[in-house]
Amino acid sequence: MNIQSISFGAKHRPNYHRPMLPKNNSHASNATLEQAIKKYEQTIKEDRTTLPWAPDSRIDTPAMEELREIGQNALNVLPMIKNTASFAQNKAKDISWEAKQIQAQTEKLAAKVKETQAWQDFVVDEKSYTTEVKLDKKIYDVEIYADGSATAIERVTSQKRPLVKYELETFGRDVYKFDVKTGKVSYFAQKQKEYHEVVSAEKEYKFEDGLLFEYNENASKGEFELIPQQFRFYKDGSLFTFATAAKTTGTKTPVEYWFPRREKTTERLFIFDRNGVLETFASGLKYQNNGVATAKKLYSFDENEKLNTFENDVVARYQVLSPFADRMYEIGKKAEKLTLEEREALFARGCYDKHSREKVVFLNEF
């Protein structure tokens, strides 16, 4: 395997260690020196055929040695990255199947709502109403809003009444949000609980026009949002990104009320193309309101899922945005106005000006 190492900070001096004939008489006979030159050239030839590295400068400086070690460490981690990516793809298939079942259940729920007197009254005056419906041995308390949307919350007690504190903390409730007219679901939470100011759910599905675009597992929201596993999907249902330990923090001081400081960190992020091929893996990601994203490590792969480059300490700044087909992107939107979700999507699609402390370029396929 051949790997080309590039250091942006190193000062490359080609042939620095190469023995040289005297400049004033390059044809002078010097058997010892000529032997040294042949030995040097033979060493270089052997290195190129037996070692995994072939630096263009043909030198062996400490900076190059460090990059060789960085590149080898990156290769050592590849099996773990590939295994986790396969796990994410397999789990995404199960999630997509579950999302279809949720959509089918929502359509039944919407049909039940249309049978209620509250919906008949809504059709007349388009005002908000509350009602209840029964579906599959469960009772749901439903609130119909003026725009025709509704929220249905599973009733976990025998009586229709607000839950007290210990019940909110103990009983997990299924929550549906949907358009009653079309039957399309926009949100579903399984086993949602409330503890003081924190709302958690075992599973959380977010839909757009009835299509799943985000799934969060064991998510909790309060002073900050923490999601151990997060899946995002393309409109065609294929997996877009898989993230672990995604945490979003934000503060709203009087001065910052209209533009609060928000920051999202992600332990690991896997990015896939529409064919399910791993494009990018990043660790130690951080997105900020100022249009900057940083990553401790960044792996980039080609269309055959072979490693192309590895980078350390990456800083990415969003600059010029061009038209995008995906729903997350907005044409001409300035970087400082992007939401954290849009920043993450843009980082995933490579729409940024990127710099790194070290970079290793892999020439062969791994």
Side-chain angles (χ1 to χ4, degrees):
M1 53 181 177
N2 281 333
I3 302 177
Q4 180 183 10
S5 305
I6 301 175
S7 171
F8 293 110
K11 181 179 181 181
H12 297 289
R13 294 179 288 178
N15 300 323
Y16 179 68
H17 294 288
R18 181 186 180 92
M20 302 294 292
L21 287 169
K23 291 184 179 180
N24 57 354
N25 188 357
S26 60
H27 300 288
S29 176
N30 189 326
T32 302
L33 188 57
E34 289 175 355
Q35 262 190 346
I37 294 173
K38 289 181 179 180
K39 184 177 179 181
Y40 172 86
E41 292 176 343
Q42 181 63 27
T43 301
I44 291 297
K45 183 178 179 181
E46 290 175 355
D47 286 350
R48 289 178 57 79
T49 56
T50 61
L51 297 179
W53 314 96
D56 286 344
S57 59
R58 306 287 191 271
I59 63 175
D60 202 17
T61 65
M64 297 299 291
E65 284 294 341
E66 183 181 354
L67 286 176
R68 290 190 182 99
E69 184 178 354
I70 291 171
Q72 189 60 56
N73 290 338
L75 290 176
N76 294 340
V77 179
L78 275 185
M80 180 199 71
I81 295 174
K82 295 294 183 69
N83 289 339
T84 307
S86 297
F87 157 80
Q89 286 287 0
N90 291 332
K91 188 166 183 175
K93 295 177 183 177
D94 295 336
I95 294 169
S96 296
W97 182 87
E98 291 172 358
K100 293 178 181 178
Q101 306 311 306
I102 293 169
Q103 175 58 57
Q105 190 75 351
T106 304
E107 291 172 1
K108 295 179 182 178
L109 197 57
K112 288 287 185 178
V113 172
K114 288 181 178 179
E115 295 174 359
T116 64
Q117 183 60 46
W119 179 256
Q120 303 303 321
D121 294 338
F122 167 82
V123 173
V124 175
D125 55 24
E126 295 187 349
K127 293 181 180 180
S128 298
Y129 287 92
T130 59
T131 185
E132 64 178 54
V133 297
K134 295 181 180 179
L135 180 64
D136 297 337
K137 299 181 180 180
K138 291 184 178 181
I139 299 177
Y140 294 89
D141 294 310
V142 180
E143 184 169 359
I144 304 171
Y145 305 105
D147 61 355
S149 63
T151 297
I153 302 178
E154 179 187 2
R155 189 183 299 175
V156 293
T157 62
S158 58
Q159 300 177 5
K160 181 182 179 180
R161 59 175 173 78
L163 298 184
V164 297
K165 182 179 178 181
Y166 86 90
E167 291 174 330
L168 289 170
E169 298 173 3
T170 305
F171 298 114
R173 303 175 295 169
D174 290 351
V175 178
Y176 292 83
K177 294 182 180 180
F178 54 97
D179 187 313
V180 181
K181 296 176 182 178
T182 63
K184 290 182 178 179
V185 63
S186 60
Y187 177 85
F188 172 74
Q190 179 179 331
K191 302 299 180 183
Q192 185 183 90
K193 298 180 181 179
E194 296 181 29
Y195 180 76
H196 295 295
E197 299 296 326
V198 178
V199 179
S200 64
E202 289 184 3
K203 297 180 179 181
E204 185 180 58
Y205 299 77
K206 297 181 181 180
F207 299 80
E208 187 173 276
D209 197 28
L211 300 176
L212 178 68
F213 74 87
E214 183 176 304
Y215 167 82
N216 300 316
E217 191 160 292
N218 294 320
S220 60
K221 301 176 184 178
E223 184 178 350
F224 58 86
E225 180 182 65
L226 179 62
I227 304 172
Q229 290 188 9
Q230 182 177 68
F231 295 74
R232 284 183 175 162
F233 297 83
Y234 291 104
K235 286 186 175 181
D236 62 6
S238 56
L239 182 60
F240 176 32
T241 63
F242 168 61
T244 64
K247 181 179 180 180
T248 303
T249 60
T251 60
K252 284 189 177 182
T253 65
V255 177
E256 299 164 343
Y257 184 83
W258 297 108
F259 190 61
R261 291 181 182 176
R262 296 191 69 216
E263 181 178 283
K264 181 174 182 178
T265 58
T266 302
E267 184 181 81
R268 295 181 298 170
L269 178 68
F270 298 79
I271 304 165
F272 303 88
D273 68 11
R274 294 180 184 274
N275 297 317
V277 177
L278 179 64
E279 286 187 336
T280 305
F281 167 74
S283 65
L285 271 171
K286 182 185 292 185
Y287 308 92
Q288 297 173 319
N289 266 0
N290 59 2
V292 175
T294 59
K296 292 182 179 179
K297 301 182 184 299
L298 184 66
Y299 293 73
S300 298
F301 301 86
D302 65 14
E303 64 277 4
N304 297 313
E305 216 170 78
K306 304 299 182 180
L307 184 58
N308 268 342
T309 62
F310 169 76
E311 298 176 68
N312 263 335
D313 295 336
V314 179
V315 178
R317 290 180 172 85
Y318 309 113
Q319 292 187 333
V320 179
L321 306 186
S322 56
F324 299 99
D326 291 307
R327 66 184 177 281
M328 288 184 173
Y329 307 135
E330 181 177 335
I331 301 172
K333 195 171 186 179
K334 293 183 179 180
E336 62 269 17
K337 299 298 183 183
L338 293 171
T339 65
L340 292 179
E341 289 74 18
E342 288 170 327
R343 296 183 196 288
E344 186 174 25
L346 289 171
F347 184 89
R349 304 313 317 156
C351 304
Y352 52 83
D353 180 24
K354 176 170 60 66
H355 303 277
S356 53
R357 180 165 59 87
E358 292 114 357
K359 181 177 182 180
V360 180
V361 179
F362 295 80
L363 301 180
N364 278 0
E365 296 182 348
F366 297 95

